């Protein structure tokens, strides 16, 4: 018997980064949007744990040992439920790694729901959310999906109303960016006085209002990401990539999370398909993907 689950990538349509906390994390105020790019995780019986990773997002440095978040998810759920951590876990990655799309978090969330079914551990959604928060700041959102306001490190979620779907082109770079390195660069720019410090955590109200009842132009005008400046600083060519997206007709574009993926908002699905064709032709990105959001979080498929 095997169980397959899938979980979505996310875009942060608002990412306000506060000051550094005593525990080494920054205080965040973020609005997550789950988008239609999915990883799938298939689990089956095993003797101990084994992890394999395949697919487009598998290149580079995705580990297959206990450093992989799905391995950690399995150990955590097994300990919580008091069952042996026995499973084979096959991760099929469409979400590129280290892209600012929370691919690893998606895999962890999918592994939790798949293993819960395989092992018959019947954890409540609340229990799974608690385990998810221990695995990483974005994992609770990968489990929940939809659109949500995240505070704390991003793991404390409250629901957000989005009246209409939004359509995006994701411009994916050849090389990833390390999330901790981008936060360190933000701290450096702040210490040097080159960007505003984190004392006033930027408010998500404009984005929340635009999601509630605005047209795409209102959402476009409200998009903001405090990690964009440090991502540009580490990867100067990202500025040009972002401009290429707006020059080619995007309503607006921003760096997704810690980057380097560029998320370009369009008026509708047709406009997204047209924009993707132009950007693919220009060769600014390694790949482009047309997606929409919000979509549901981690769920068992079969
Ligand atoms: P975020 O947007 O949450 O910062 P990200 O999309 O930038 O995340 P991930 O793809 O989640 O980054 O992974 C970052 C690093 O985590 C990888 O470079 C890899 O070493 C490690 N990792 C552990 N498990 C996984 C996994 N299942 N998939 C991808 N990376 C993983």
């Amino acid at each position: 018997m095997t169980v397959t689950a899938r979980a979505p990538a996310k875009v942060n349509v608002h990412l306000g980064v506060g000051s550094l906390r005593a525990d080494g994390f920054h205080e965040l105020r973020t609005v997550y949007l789950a988008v239609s790019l999915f990883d799938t995780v298939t689990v089956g019986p095993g003797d101990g744990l084994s992890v394999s990773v395949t697919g487009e997002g598998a290149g580079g440095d995705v580990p297959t040992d206990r450093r992989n978040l799905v391995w950690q998810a399995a150990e955590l759920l097994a300990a919580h439920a008091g069952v042996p951590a026995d499973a084979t876990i096959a991760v099929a990655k469409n979400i590129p790694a280290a892209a600012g799309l929370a691919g690893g978090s998606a895999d962890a969330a999918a592994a939790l729901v798949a293993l819960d079914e395989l092992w018959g551990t019947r954890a409540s959604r609340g229990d799974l959310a608690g385990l998810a928060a221990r695995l990483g700041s974005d994992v609770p959102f990968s489990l929940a999906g939809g659109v949500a306001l995240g505070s704390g490190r991003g793991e404390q979620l409250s629901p957000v109303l989005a009246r209409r779907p939004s359509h995006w082109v994701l411009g994916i770079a050849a090389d990833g960016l390390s999330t901790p390195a981008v936060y360190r660069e933000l701290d450096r720019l702040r210490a040097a006085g080159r960007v505003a410090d984190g004392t006033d955590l930027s408010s998500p109200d404009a984005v929340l209002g635009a999601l509630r009842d605005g047209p795409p132009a209102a959402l476009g005008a409200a998009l903001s990401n405090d990690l964009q400046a440090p991502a540009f600083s580490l990867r100067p060519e990202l500025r040009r990539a972002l401009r290429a997206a707006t020059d080619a007709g995007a309503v607006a574009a921003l760096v997704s999370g810690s980057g380097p993926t560029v998320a370009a908002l369009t008026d509708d699905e047709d406009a997204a398909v047209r924009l993707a064709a132009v950007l693919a032709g220009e060769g600014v990105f390694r790949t482009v993907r047309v997606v929409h959001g919000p979509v549901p979080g981690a769920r068992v498929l079969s």
Side-chain angles (χ1 to χ4, degrees), residues 10 61-62 67-69 93 97-104 107 138 179 258:
K10 59 81 186 164
D61 60 347
V62 180
R67 288 170 300 162
N68 196 303
L69 278 177
K93 288 195 74 68
L101 295 170
D107 300 343
D138 292 341
T179 302
S258 54

Side-chain angles (χ1 to χ4, degrees), residues 1-300:
M1 176 203 168
T2 63
V3 179
T4 298
R6 76 174 191 183
K10 59 81 186 164
V11 168
N12 302 82
V13 287
H14 173 88
L15 180 47
V17 183
S19 25
L20 194 58
R21 310 189 315 194
D23 63 3
F25 289 99
H26 291 79
E27 185 69 20
L28 299 188
R29 201 69 82 247
T30 187
V31 180
Y32 293 108
L33 175 73
V35 295
S36 56
L37 177 66
F38 300 94
D39 277 359
T40 61
V41 173
T42 300
V43 299
D47 182 12
L49 289 173
S50 62
V51 171
S52 62
V53 181
T54 55
E56 228 182 296
D61 60 347
V62 180
T64 53
D65 55 18
R66 65 179 328 122
R67 288 170 300 162
N68 196 303
L69 278 177
V70 300
W71 189 299
Q72 295 166 32
E75 287 191 329
L76 208 56
L77 177 63
H80 169 81
V83 300
D86 288 333
T88 56
I89 307 176
V91 183
K93 288 195 74 68
N94 291 309
I95 308 172
L101 295 170
S105 303
D107 300 343
L112 283 176
V113 299
L115 290 168
D116 183 48
E117 172 108 3
L118 179 76
W119 291 338
T121 39
R122 295 175 176 274
S124 69
R125 209 68 190 180
D127 282 350
L128 290 179
L131 299 178
R134 290 168 59 190
L135 290 165
S137 306
D138 292 341
V139 186
F141 178 72
S142 302
L143 196 61
V147 47
L149 178 64
S151 48
R153 307 181 266 117
E155 86 288 10
Q156 295 162 22
L157 300 178
S158 40
V160 165
L161 179 68
R163 199 169 299 285
R164 57 179 111 198
S166 53
H167 298 274
W168 302 82
V169 176
L170 301 179
I172 296 160
D175 298 311
L177 265 178
S178 146
T179 302
V182 176
Y183 276 99
R184 277 197 302 276
E185 181 66 3
L186 175 66
D187 293 336
R188 196 186 67 79
L189 294 176
R190 283 179 167 172
R194 292 185 36 207
V195 297
D197 70 18
T199 324
D200 297 318
L201 200 48
S202 70
S203 162
D205 289 353
V207 154
L208 295 177
L211 285 168
R212 200 163 44 238
D213 47 26
L219 179 58
L223 297 173
S224 83
N225 179 2
D226 285 350
L227 294 181
Q228 186 159 296
F232 282 166
S233 173
L234 293 175
R235 194 65 76 76
E237 63 271 28
L238 261 183
R239 256 182 219 285
R240 195 170 57 85
L242 207 79
R243 199 166 315 122
T246 46
D247 286 351
V251 172
L254 89 171
V255 168
S256 176
S258 54
T261 299
V262 168
L265 177 67
T266 60
D267 274 318
D268 53 32
E269 191 176 1
D270 286 349
V273 171
R274 285 196 303 272
L275 176 63
V278 173
L279 291 175
E282 287 178 352
V284 181
F285 300 102
R286 190 198 63 193
T287 7
V288 294
R289 287 269 179 279
V290 174
V291 299
H292 63 272
V295 296
R299 53 174 50 190
V300 168

